[in-house]
Structures are given as structure tokens and as C-alpha cells.
Amino acid sequence: MESIFGSCYGYLTQSLPLWQSLIGSLIILLFVGFFGSPLIVWGIVGGLLLIGFAAPQGLIIAFVALVVFFLIKPLRTVLVSAPLMKIMQKMGFIPKISATERVALEAGVVWIEKDLYSGKPNFTKIMQEPYGKLTAEEEAFLKGPVEELCKMCEPWKIWKNRHIPDDVIAFLKQKGFLGMIIPKEYGGLGFSAMAHSEVVMKVASRSLPLSITVMVPNSLGPAELLAHYGTDKQKKYWLPRLSSGQEVPCFGLTEPTAGSDAGSITSSGVVFKNAAGQLAIRVSWNKRWITLASISTVLGLAFRLRDPDKLLGNTEDLGITCALVPASTPGVEIGRRHDPLTIPFHNCPTTGKDVELVLEDAVVGGLSGVGNGWTMLMECLAAGRGVSLPAQATGGVKLAYRTVSSHALVRKQFGVSIGKFEGVEEPMARIGATAYGIEAVRRFTLGALDKGLKPPVVTAIAKYQCTEAGRRTVNDAMDVMGGAGISLGQRNLIAEGYVATPIGITVEGANIMTRTLIIFGQGALRCHPFAFEEVAAVESGNAKRFDTAFWGHIGHVVRNLCRSILLSVTRGYLASAPAGTHPKIRIHYRRLSWASATFAILADLAMGGLGGQLKMKEKITGRFADIFSHMYMVTCALRRFKEDGQPKEDLPYLQFYVKNSMCEIQKGFDGLFDNLKIFGPVRWIIKGFFGAWSRINSIESQATDGWSHLISSSMMTAGAQRDRLTSGIYWVMDSTHGTAAVKARAEVGDQTARLENAFNVVTKAEIAEKKIRSAIKSGVIPKKKGPASWDDALAKKVISDDEHQLLREADKVRYDAILVDDFTETAYQEKLK
């Protein structure tokens, strides 16, 4: 042992200059921390270094004693942890968590987001997580009833007439669309979250009002609440009636003064005994923005229940409760409507005054459900946010991909397809990459839900980021489509989505609040391995519990600080990628590990430096949410690439999406370094040194123009990849319907078929066009425009008779495809009949 110490001493203090010895020692300590070594290893390494530097014997003994002291947990708890916990209690350092916040925090579970938050994600394990898949029965439903529903639907007439036809509603009920999530034993379809999402995505690509009508009965509302929390009697009565469409449900949560802060609802009920001696409730409410309320037959209702006569116990305020209210009950008022941006779905107010109901029948879960409404709502939302709105947004983005790419090829300016102009390539590439990325987010999130998990932070990311991606995409689509995008009519496939985009942004939690309060506000406590436990320990005054959590947290901070430094210096190359990863993709796993470590240490600095004030610093929490969101979305994209078999042709989409997401992560870090105002000189160290270093040594650069060119070219190339990347939407295409069916649907005015037919004919005609351009260039035929050059080419046998006919057909369908609707003054002023 003495020879080892001597060698260490000689190497550090004699063989090397002092500054090199110090740097070498620092590197050793960084690697000890990088691997998350326990305290005893730190003690051994620290002791060896002190001996190597010939430190005074007293200092070495003191260091060893200190390490031994901290290794004795009972002693550490009494002398250090317990006093520290009391100080933190007195200073109000731990954030106060209200009862409603606690329920929200405890709802659902954590999933891979905990790995991403940890600073040391295990990507080998993450890449083995399940991916959303359909059963044969679910696929048959999509190919059968869903396809038939989309064909029945005439979206322009629905929008213009502000009404979904009765035969379409009848079809929804007959085929079970309103009971997709209801178990089969109660007459429902019993579909998976994946199937539910696929149905919404396809219907949304055809008609947004129709998709919302399908979404609502299958999202937060009576059916889901009853399926999870209802009594047997309630399930047996209500679920078969909801499955068949005999009952039309809605759910009343939001109010004029309670939107995102749903916990502040003022709707109220009191417990009393009715004339028959039964326990009953008398409820009054004033709700707004309740979808389907005006046509509903049963209202789900959230309200605060009181028991002034103490009929149920000693507590007067029983808390938020959920109940079922038949719309025919005296005192219920429905029938009026809001007008959500002209999108004709039933979004409505509803009021009730002293509505009397039997408690056991009305309260979801009967007597045991009293006061448990908030828990029910938070647990259901923890899953529901990941299904309907991400599906709707993804359907819209895929529709934009297909529509814009068809238009960009067919539409010509200066004799060239507009999609070949670099200025158009940019928005097209964003559309294509977004379609790839949010489909990855949608399916990976659904894999977790169908696994039986309810991860609220992940589903909040999916809802927020997918709807925001939809907003950006429809703006890009409008830029490319130009006049064809702004002219309303049955030929316009994107205008309805453009108008309706803010609706998805607003509902199920406004995106502004979702970003700042849920993704990081909840995520900081739920996903952190020690923070929530620390809070619970301080609140309960449990010193032993606090000791375990606090010192675990310290070790977590040290490890991530070391990982962040070493991964930053090596640009992630100390991290690894899962075995079998495509060589061009390994770098993304490494840099994602680097981002995770940096995120983790900054999050701890923010929590430590700002304490309970952090949740009010929404600009800061918003930036953390952006970083966290994009780490998750990059992970989803990598998981999709693996699931799809790492196809080479998808690399441009993956590279573009991941690079730009990583740039958003860098943008978030830059914002934090500039604005993270914590104690004293630490702020200036963070902003001055680490901020400057981060900008010099950024995680990623923007995707290059080469990737955007490859994406736009791919989007305008007919074939399996284009069909695969836009699968799951309503689009009449050759590969699924056949050429004859496409032409037939085009002739009856189906714009998807019209664009598809034009796209295919124009693509086939490109070979003949190339021959003509080559002949003009070589002087075989004179330079002329259009049909004149075709006739010359035919005469000179540059092209065949069939090619000449194909060019004429291409010219005809091209012209028809780029036309927009126009109306007589009378038709313009009146509803379309």
C-alpha cells in the first residue's frame, strides 16, 4: 500500500508540474462523479490524492473522519439532516403544495421521462419500450366503417351549413363510434388507445367538426369516468346506452372564471335527504365551452359538494365531486351554443339551478365517489391528453404533407414545379419533418398508454407539442398553397384546419399553462428522483426519510455536474448509443445524453436557488419545459427510426427533425443561462462562463439545406415512402383504392382524389417532358411552349403517341387540380344547399 501511495505521490508531485497535477486530479474526480460512485469511493480517491500531494497528516485524518461520519447514517441524520430539515421548514424553502396540486402530482405514473430527467438516460432500455400497434379487428374497423364515414362526409357542406347531416350522426351511433373506449361487455368496441387515436386522426383529416363529435364521447366524460370509477349499477345502466348512441354525453368542467384553473370551480352542490328519505344532492352550475352540451342527453358534471347537515360525517366541505345529470332533469338548461371560430361543432354553455338527484345514482362511484372527483379527473386527463388532440394534430399535419406536396409538384411557375424552388423547399421540408416527428411522438406515447400507464407529463408534452406543430405546419402550408389556400370551397383541404387551429391549442388545458405549469411544473417534482420525496419528508417532519432523499439528491447533483462537464468537453462522446444503432444516428444519442445531464444540473440549480419561488417563474419553467419536451420528442423520433427498421430513405426526415429539435434545446439553455437569477455570484458564473461556453460549444447546429432538399424531393416522389409517411389519413390514393377508383372519385369532386390523380399523371408525364427538354437543348426541335413543342416532338419521334397523349392528359388534370372554387353572388351570400 505504501508503494502505491508513493507512486501516486511521485507521479502527481514530482513527475508533473503542479498545474498539470491539479488538472489530472480534477479529471480523476470528474470521472469518479461521472459514474455516480458512492461516498466511500470518493473517500478513497480523495484520501489517495491528499496523500499524493503530501497533505498534512491532520488534514488527511480530518478528511477520513468526515467521510466516516457521513457514512454512519443514524449519526448523520441526528446531527446534520434533522437540523437542516428544520431550517428549510422555517425558511419556507420547500414549495407549498395545495391539496388540488397534490392530487395532480400524484395522478398517473412516470415513464421514460424520468430517465430523461435523470441526467443519465438508459437508451437501450428506452428503445425497448412498446410501440403503438393495432389488432386485426381495429385495422378492419379503420378500413371499413371509418373509411365509409369519411366518404359519406362532405366537409365543405358541413362547414358552410354549420351542421353535420343526420345520416352521418346516425352512422356514428350505428357503427359504435361513440363507444370506442367502452368495454365490450357493455356493448362498446373496447378499442385500444392506439385504435382510438387512429380513428380520430383519420376522421380529423376529413372533417374537424366530425372528428370533435367522435372525440368527445371517447375522451374525458361520462363513459371514461364510469368505466374506471362507476358502480356496477351505474355501469350496467349507462354504458350500454352510451355505446349504442341512445345517450349522447358531454362533460361540464370549465366555467367563466375557471378555465385552466379548473380546481377553482364555483359550481356547487349540497347533500340533503329527499322526501323519500334518500341521501340526495341539490346542484347548481354555470358552465361554458362544453362540447356537445346542447344535444346531450346526459351531462357529466364537476362541482364542489358540501354537507352542511353532516349527513355523511363530520366534514362539511367534501371537495370536488363528479356526477351524472340526465338532461331532462328539472332545472337543467341546455340548447344555446357558442361559435368557436365558425367550426360547426356543438360547443355550448349549460346552467342548472337547484337540480335534485339521488346521491347513489348520480355521483360517479356512488357514496365512495363523493369528494374524489378531482382525483378522477386528473387520472383520466393524465391519459386522455395523449390521445385525441395529438391524433387530430397529426392528421392535420399529414394532410398538409399530402396536399402541399401534390400542389407543389402540379403547380408550375416559370415552367418549373414550384416545389423545386428553394424558397418553397424550406417550408415543405418543415412540413415533411414535422409529419415524421409528431407521428413518432403520437405512436410512442400511445405505446405507453396501451401498456396501462398514465404518464401525465408525457401526455402533456404530446398535447402541447403536437398542437403547436400543427399550428406551425398549417402556416407553412398556407405559404406554399398561396391563393389555393385562402380560397374557401370544397377544393380547399387546409383552410378549415387553419381556422380551427387555436381550438386545439386552447382546450384540455391552454398550451401556455400546460407548458409552464404541467410539463416542468409537475415534471420537476414527479420526474426528479428525489425532489418529491424531499418535499414529502419536510412536510411530514420525518428526519430519516429526509436524510435519505436529501443526500441522495446531493449525490445526484454531483454526478450530473461531472457528467455535464465531461460530456460538454467531449461533445457527448463519452456517452454511448444502443447496440445496432445506425452509424449516422449514434451522435444523436450521445448529444441527447449530454443535454440530459446539463438539463438535470440546471434544474437542480433552479430548484435549489429559487426554492418555492420557482413555480412562479414561468419564463424559467417554460424554458425548462421546452428542453424537456424536445428531449422527449427526439427520443420518440429515434424510437420510430428503430421500430421502422432504420430505413435509409427516412434519414433526411430524422436528421432534419432531430437537428432542429436539438437546436430548440440549445435555445432553451441559452435562455436559462441568461435569465437564471439565483444567489449572488453563482448567477454571474452561470451567465458569464457557462453561458459563453454553451454558445461556443452548442449542442447542435441547424439542419443543412441538403437535408431540406432531400425531404422536399421525397415528398414529390410517388411511391411507398410517401404513402407510408402519410398513412392513416383519408386520401383516395392508387396504392389502396386503385387507379380507376381514384379517377372515379376525382370526377365526383373529391379533392384528395383530384390531387392524387393529377400528381400521378404529371409524374408519369415527366419522362416525356425530359425528352422534349433534351431535344430542344440539342437543337432537334425548336424551343416552343406547351402543346406546340409536344407536336414537334411527336413529329420528330422524340416522344411516342402514348407519351403525346399523356402530356395532354397531364396538362388537363394539372389545370383542373390548381383551380379554386368560385361562386355567384347569390351562392356567396347564402348557405350552400
Side-chain angles (χ1 to χ4, degrees):
M1 186 66 70
E2 289 181 0
S3 63
I4 295 174
F5 293 163
S7 299
C8 181
Y9 170 80
Y11 177 76
L12 286 173
T13 62
Q14 296 177 12
S15 302
L16 296 172
L18 179 60
W19 69 272
Q20 291 184 4
S21 300
L22 290 171
I23 291 174
S25 301
L26 177 60
I27 292 172
I28 291 170
L29 292 173
L30 285 172
F31 273 97
V32 171
F34 183 89
F35 293 107
S37 304
L39 181 59
I40 191 169
V41 174
W42 280 95
I44 293 170
V45 172
L48 289 173
L49 290 175
L50 287 173
I51 292 171
F53 277 102
Q57 188 173 9
L59 179 60
I60 296 172
I61 293 171
F63 174 78
V64 172
L66 185 64
V67 171
V68 171
F69 167 78
F70 272 91
L71 286 170
I72 303 173
K73 184 175 179 179
L75 195 62
R76 182 184 70 201
T77 301
V78 172
L79 296 179
V80 179
S81 300
L84 182 60
M85 182 183 71
K86 290 179 181 178
I87 292 171
M88 293 175 74
Q89 285 174 322
K90 289 181 180 179
M91 293 179 63
F93 189 76
I94 296 295
K96 293 181 180 180
I97 302 174
S98 68
T100 53
E101 285 177 317
R102 183 170 296 281
V103 170
L105 283 167
E106 293 175 350
V109 298
V110 289
W111 183 46
I112 67 162
E113 68 274 31
K114 187 171 184 177
D115 271 70
L116 296 173
Y117 198 111
S118 72
K120 191 181 180 181
N122 183 341
F123 287 115
T124 298
K125 182 187 76 173
I126 290 172
M127 290 299 120
Q128 293 171 352
E129 287 290 331
Y131 210 66
K133 295 184 183 297
L134 296 171
T135 65
E137 178 188 6
E138 292 167 342
E139 287 181 348
F141 187 80
L142 284 159
K143 292 176 182 177
V146 180
E147 180 75 12
E148 188 175 350
L149 174 67
C150 290
K151 285 183 179 179
M152 290 175 64
C153 172
E154 295 185 73
W156 168 241
K157 285 188 177 182
I158 290 176
W159 192 7
K160 191 71 175 177
N161 292 334
R162 301 167 73 81
H163 174 71
I164 299 174
D166 294 341
D167 63 328
V168 174
I169 297 296
F171 186 83
L172 289 179
K173 295 178 179 181
Q174 177 191 350
K175 297 298 182 180
F177 280 87
L178 305 186
M180 290 190 295
I181 66 169
I182 296 175
K184 290 183 177 181
E185 63 187 288
Y186 297 107
L189 297 179
F191 278 175
S192 63
M194 179 67 186
H196 177 189
S197 173
E198 288 280 326
V199 172
V200 170
M201 179 174 69
K202 186 163 188 171
V203 177
S205 71
R206 184 62 168 164
S207 168
L208 284 171
L210 188 58
S211 73
I212 294 169
T213 303
V214 171
M215 281 165 52
V216 171
N218 292 288
S219 59
L220 178 64
E224 185 169 16
L225 292 170
L226 286 168
H228 291 293
Y229 311 107
T231 64
D232 286 340
K233 180 181 177 181
Q234 290 171 336
K235 291 178 181 179
K236 289 176 181 177
Y237 178 79
W238 286 110
L239 290 179
R241 298 166 71 89
L242 290 166
S243 298
S244 66
Q246 184 178 350
E247 303 284 356
V248 177
C250 70
F251 189 80
L253 178 60
T254 52
E255 300 175 356
T257 58
S260 294
D261 182 15
S264 66
I265 57 177
T266 59
S267 298
S268 62
V270 294
V271 180
F272 71 102
K273 279 196 175 181
N274 62 20
Q278 299 170 299
L279 284 171
I281 56 176
R282 185 180 295 111
V283 190
S284 296
W285 67 88
N286 180 17
K287 300 290 184 179
R288 292 291 184 273
W289 309 297
I290 311 306
T291 302
L292 299 187
S294 63
I295 59 169
S296 66
T297 60
V298 57
L299 291 76
L301 198 69
F303 58 94
R304 191 171 294 279
L305 185 61
R306 294 184 301 108
D307 184 13
D309 297 328
K310 308 290 180 68
L311 296 173
L312 301 182
N314 294 323
T315 303
E316 181 175 340
D317 185 356
L318 300 175
I320 294 174
T321 300
C322 292
L324 302 178
V325 184
S328 59
T329 308
V332 176
E333 293 289 340
I334 59 174
R336 295 184 66 81
R337 297 178 67 169
H338 303 303
D339 187 0
L341 293 176
T342 74
I343 304 301
F345 67 98
H346 290 267
N347 187 257
C348 322
T350 173
T351 60
K353 179 66 174 176
D354 295 334
V355 177
E356 296 187 3
L357 305 159
V358 175
L359 187 151
E360 188 64 23
D361 294 339
V363 173
V364 176
L367 192 60
S368 63
V370 169
N372 290 321
W374 189 243
T375 300
M376 295 176 185
L377 296 174
M378 289 302 99
E379 289 181 349
C380 289
L381 279 171
R385 281 195 184 100
V387 182
S388 295
L389 287 170
Q392 189 181 70
T394 305
V397 171
K398 287 184 177 182
L399 179 67
Y401 178 120
R402 198 87 190 187
T403 303
V404 166
S405 60
S406 298
H407 180 83
L409 177 72
V410 171
R411 174 72 164 157
K412 282 188 174 183
Q413 293 289 279
F414 309 107
V416 179
S417 292
I418 64 169
K420 296 180 180 180
F421 290 102
E422 288 196 357
V424 176
E425 280 187 352
E426 283 187 295
M428 283 184 64
R430 289 194 295 266
I431 293 170
T434 299
Y436 182 90
I438 69 168
E439 172 69 351
V441 172
R442 183 184 75 91
R443 292 196 65 180
F444 197 27
T445 304
L446 292 168
L449 298 180
D450 281 334
K451 188 180 177 181
L453 304 178
K454 294 182 178 181
V457 175
V458 159
T459 56
I461 290 172
K463 185 269 174 180
Y464 167 60
Q465 291 292 349
C466 287
T467 54
E468 290 293 342
R471 170 154 56 183
R472 293 190 297 269
T473 295
V474 79
N475 282 326
D476 278 333
M478 276 289 183
D479 287 347
V480 176
M481 299 293 290
I486 65 169
S487 301
L488 290 176
Q490 64 180 355
R491 290 172 174 264
N492 193 330
L493 298 178
I494 63 170
E496 185 178 58
Y498 181 83
V499 174
T501 290
I503 298 172
I505 300 292
T506 301
V507 299
E508 287 191 11
N511 279 2
I512 288 176
M513 307 303 284
T514 299
R515 172 178 177 252
T516 57
L517 297 183
I518 299 178
I519 295 176
F520 187 73
Q522 282 187 228
L525 289 177
R526 283 304 306 269
C527 302
H528 195 288
F530 301 104
F532 196 36
E533 184 66 11
E534 284 175 296
V535 172
V538 171
E539 288 181 341
S540 64
N542 189 322
K544 290 183 179 180
R545 188 178 177 185
F546 176 78
D547 177 88
T548 301
F550 180 79
W551 294 109
H553 193 162
I554 295 299
H556 174 78
V557 170
V558 172
R559 185 198 72 183
N560 283 323
L561 178 61
C562 295
R563 285 183 62 81
S564 177
I565 292 171
L566 287 176
L567 289 173
S568 177
V569 169
T570 63
R571 296 194 55 75
Y573 275 90
L574 288 178
S576 61
T581 298
H582 192 287
K584 291 186 178 180
I585 303 305
R586 289 175 188 155
I587 190 172
H588 298 316
Y589 286 99
R590 293 168 179 156
R591 291 188 178 173
L592 198 51
S593 293
W594 170 14
S596 175
T598 304
F599 171 84
I601 191 62
L602 284 175
D604 274 313
L605 280 172
M607 288 191 288
L610 297 173
Q613 298 177 25
L614 179 59
K615 70 178 182 178
M616 301 304 296
K617 302 289 185 180
E618 294 179 10
K619 294 175 185 176
I620 296 297
T621 61
R623 292 183 179 99
F624 276 117
D626 293 341
I627 297 167
F628 201 17
S629 294
H630 284 283
M631 287 197 298
Y632 176 67
M633 293 190 295
V634 169
T635 303
C636 291
L638 294 172
R639 179 67 180 87
R640 176 181 184 176
F641 190 66
K642 177 181 181 294
E643 180 69 20
D644 291 347
Q646 302 189 123
K648 183 180 179 181
E649 67 269 22
D650 286 359
L651 274 173
Y653 291 86
L654 179 68
Q655 294 280 25
F656 192 98
Y657 185 78
V658 169
K659 279 177 168 288
N660 286 349
S661 288
M662 295 299 288
C663 283
E664 290 299 313
I665 290 174
Q666 179 64 43
K667 180 180 175 182
F669 282 141
D670 291 343
L672 289 175
F673 287 130
D674 283 344
N675 296 283
L676 197 53
K677 299 177 181 179
I678 58 178
F679 40 85
V682 174
R683 174 193 174 186
W684 300 110
I685 294 173
I686 291 173
K687 183 175 181 178
F689 178 75
F690 290 107
W693 170 250
S694 176
R695 285 171 170 81
I696 294 170
N697 186 47
S698 62
I699 284 180
E700 189 54 272
S701 58
Q702 291 283 342
T704 62
D705 293 345
W707 293 124
S708 62
H709 173 72
L710 290 172
I711 291 173
S712 60
S713 297
S714 163
M715 291 172 70
M716 294 189 295
T717 302
Q721 184 189 24
R722 185 169 184 262
D723 291 349
R724 174 169 55 84
L725 294 181
T726 55
S727 64
I729 62 170
Y730 176 78
W731 192 275
V732 182
M733 60 180 74
D734 282 13
S735 59
T736 54
H737 299 85
T739 302
V742 171
K743 289 185 176 180
R745 292 292 295 176
E747 288 173 1
V748 297
D750 188 314
Q751 182 65 5
T752 71
R754 183 184 282 119
L755 285 172
E756 179 74 5
N757 183 52
F759 184 90
N760 290 333
V761 174
V762 169
T763 296
K764 292 173 185 176
E766 282 185 339
I767 296 174
E769 288 180 344
K770 287 180 181 178
K771 289 181 180 179
I772 292 171
R773 287 195 297 270
S774 178
I776 291 173
K777 187 176 181 180
S778 61
V780 174
I781 59 176
K783 184 177 182 179
K784 296 179 181 178
K785 289 186 178 182
S789 67
W790 307 339
D791 294 341
D792 287 347
L794 179 62
K796 291 289 186 179
K797 296 185 179 181
V798 172
I799 59 174
S800 67
D801 287 336
D802 288 342
E803 287 174 321
H804 185 266
Q805 182 60 36
L806 181 61
L807 287 169
R808 291 192 175 278
E809 183 184 1
D811 191 52
K812 177 183 176 181
V813 297
R814 183 196 301 275
Y815 182 77
D816 183 50
I818 65 173
L819 290 178
V820 298
D821 294 284
D822 52 67
F823 310 95
T824 66
E825 184 63 26
T826 301
Y828 180 79
Q829 296 294 341
E830 296 179 355
K831 289 184 178 180
L832 184 65
K833 301 298 183 184

